[in-house]
């Protein structure tokens, strides 16, 4: 049985495509992954927020809010545990660094 070898498209740090055959764990990385970006699924965010947020007084710092899935889930969880809308906003802080 022969293994088929395919040419993959990779993205360089400056966003250009490269025809160089990728090697190792850096196969088919998009621009966000090359800069170290990753995104939390809504299922994972739900589990984490359910575990971590046990009262309406919890203060949440999202150090890389990206698409906001974790941040949004945290706001819903704070509401579920009795947080008042006026208090939820001040209890949430999100940061995202975008390099241009």
């Amino acid at each position: 049985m022969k293994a088929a070898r395919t040419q993959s498209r990779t993205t360089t740090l400056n966003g250009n495509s490269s025809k160089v055959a990728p090697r190792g764990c850096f196969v088919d990385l998009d621009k966000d992954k090359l800069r170290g970006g990753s995104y939390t699924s809504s299922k994972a965010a739900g589990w984490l927020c359910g575990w971590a947020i046990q009262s309406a007084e919890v203060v949440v710092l999202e150090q890389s809010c990206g698409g906001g899935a974790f941040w949004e889930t945290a706001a819903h969880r704070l509401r579920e545990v009795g947080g008042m809308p006026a208090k939820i906003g001040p209890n949430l802080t999100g940061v995202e660094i975008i390099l241009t």
Side-chain angles (χ1 to χ4, degrees), residues 14-68:
N14 63 9
N16 297 327
S17 291
S18 171
K19 293 280 187 180
V20 175
R23 296 185 309 224
C25 62
F26 299 106
V27 176
D28 292 328
L29 295 177
D30 64 18
K31 192 173 181 179
D32 289 330
K33 294 289 183 188
L34 281 170
R35 71 167 178 75
S38 62
Y39 297 92
T40 306
S41 70
S42 58
K43 188 174 181 177
W47 186 89
L48 285 167
C49 289
W51 172 77
I53 301 172
Q54 297 297 314
S55 79
E57 301 303 314
V58 170
V59 176
V60 177
L61 169 62
E62 167 59 292
Q63 81 283 3
S64 58
C65 55

